[in-house]
Amino acid sequence: MTAPRRATADDAAAISAFAEATFIETFGHIYDPADLSAFLAEWNPVPRVRAQIADPQFAIAVEEDAAGAIAGYIKMGPLDFDLPADQPVDDAVELHQLYVGKAAQGTGVAARLTDWGIGWARARASVLYLSVFTENARAQAFYRRYGFYDVGRNAFRVGNHIDEDRFFRLDL
């Protein structure tokens, strides 16, 4: 594995494909195919990833395996969800996505990417939020080890399907 590096426009297609494949592998069995297809069409298409890479409010980092393929990525940026009313939104950023391929799970990729993302967030904000699926106990335990804590419910829409996610917060 390599150390995390900031993504460039040349990475957009690989990130988009990796994001879709990883989401399907991890969560695809939950959804009706039509709902999944509708969600994926708008979630991380190449033009959107490329625009986020170019946007100074966002930061995407990738870590590659020995062959140069993406082993994982993290996407950081401005808040794009409605938090519970008691949560501060000024001086806050979001960890939008952290995805690690099955082959790289347990190798430290997620930790290195998370450390990178928290460093990015600390330089810009005092609060970092993320949203995690209620049934993803492994991810919740991972984030809790970093000091994130649950601050409320988030309805996460995949097509017509609505999952219950939890908002997690880290005070930087």
Side-chain angles (χ1 to χ4, degrees), residues 58-82:
F58 281 87
I60 301 174
V62 297
E63 186 162 332
E64 297 164 328
D65 63 20
I70 294 176
Y73 79 95
I74 189 168
K75 183 187 295 184
M76 308 294 295
L79 295 177
D80 77 349
F81 41 50
D82 295 323

Side-chain angles (χ1 to χ4, degrees), residues 91-142:
D91 200 30
V93 292
E94 179 182 342
L95 189 165
H96 290 265
Q97 295 161 13
L98 172 62
Y99 284 88
V100 176
K102 288 270 189 217
Q105 290 179 1
T107 66
V109 170
R112 287 188 296 275
L113 288 167
T114 301
D115 290 342
W116 187 95
I118 289 173
W120 180 88
R122 279 196 174 116
R124 289 157 182 78
S126 62
V127 179
L128 174 58
Y129 291 102
L130 60 85
S131 177
V132 63
F133 186 39
T134 55
E135 295 180 34
N136 192 340
R138 182 178 179 173
Q140 290 183 40
F142 175 81

Side-chain angles (χ1 to χ4, degrees), residues 33-49:
D35 288 333
L36 182 61
S37 180
F39 171 76
L40 292 173
E42 295 182 14
W43 182 54
N44 271 320
V46 175
R48 182 175 188 205
V49 173

